[in-house]
Amino acid sequence: MTYDELQTEREANELLKNNLKAQIEQVTDTKVSLKLSQELLQLSKRNEKLAERQAVLLRKVKKPMARSRPASYDMSLNEIEAEIEQNKITFAKLEQELTSSDFDTRVNASQTLRTLYPRHKALCSQKVALLSHSLECLRKELNAT
């Protein structure tokens, strides 16, 4: 789920919580009141989890932004290849998590993949550019001799 989808669900849950609170105030039967209170508690817990997921999303978005570098030659080829290899390992782990029976695990894996993929794509492009540049330099050296 995206940040906005999480926010929309949280807002909808807040409306449901307000309706439940109003119903609890009107009900005189303690069993019904207890059941409504339990639903209210479940909605509150769900909203807490949604808020946590939003916070995780924000951290994940800020982290790649802070780490991302412009498409230049400021990383060595070895650094780029090492990060690409690490991403491949992470992708494999996340793909396994996508098959998990736990909903939150699947959602978190999907969101992590969405945030990691652009960085991985940029690294691959940077690697190609760096190799192309190196190849061009080698060609010039060969032609000069």
Side-chain angles (χ1 to χ4, degrees):
M1 291 178 85
T2 66
Y3 183 90
D4 291 335
E5 290 170 334
L6 292 169
Q7 185 63 34
T8 302
E9 185 173 341
R10 285 182 65 205
E11 290 169 359
N13 286 349
E14 285 299 322
L15 290 174
L16 289 173
K17 283 172 51 178
N18 290 337
N19 288 339
L20 283 173
K21 287 176 185 176
Q23 288 178 11
I24 290 170
E25 290 175 5
Q26 294 174 355
V27 172
T28 56
D29 185 6
T30 55
K31 287 183 181 181
V32 174
S33 178
L34 179 61
K35 184 178 178 183
L36 292 173
S37 295
Q38 288 172 339
E39 287 180 37
L40 181 63
L41 180 61
Q42 287 176 343
L43 277 174
S44 295
K45 286 181 180 180
R46 174 75 178 146
N47 267 7
E48 285 178 25
K49 287 184 180 183
L50 292 172
E52 288 171 9
R53 286 172 47 193
Q54 281 182 304
V56 167
L57 277 178
L58 284 176
R59 284 192 302 271
K60 287 179 181 177
V61 168
K62 288 179 183 177
K63 186 176 177 181
M65 287 178 150
R67 285 182 35 196
S68 69
R69 300 175 186 180
S72 65
Y73 304 114
D74 59 347
M75 289 179 74
S76 72
L77 182 59
N78 288 340
E79 290 174 318
I80 293 170
E81 288 176 336
E83 191 168 339
I84 288 172
E85 285 305 310
Q86 184 60 44
N87 285 348
K88 288 179 182 179
I89 294 166
T90 304
F91 285 146
K93 183 184 130 227
L94 291 170
E95 286 171 359
Q96 287 178 343
E97 289 180 6
L98 287 173
T99 62
S100 171
S101 61
D102 181 48
F103 175 76
D104 287 336
T105 301
R106 289 192 316 266
V107 168
N108 288 337
S110 175
Q111 291 169 343
T112 303
L113 282 169
R114 279 190 222 135
T115 58
L116 187 58
Y117 181 74
R119 170 72 178 161
H120 182 74
K121 186 177 175 182
L123 284 169
C124 291
S125 296
Q126 192 172 355
K127 179 181 175 182
V128 168
L130 186 57
L131 289 172
S132 296
H133 178 72
S134 298
L135 185 59
E136 189 61 34
C137 290
L138 287 172
R139 282 186 186 145
K140 288 179 182 177
E141 280 184 35
L142 284 174
N143 288 337
T145 58

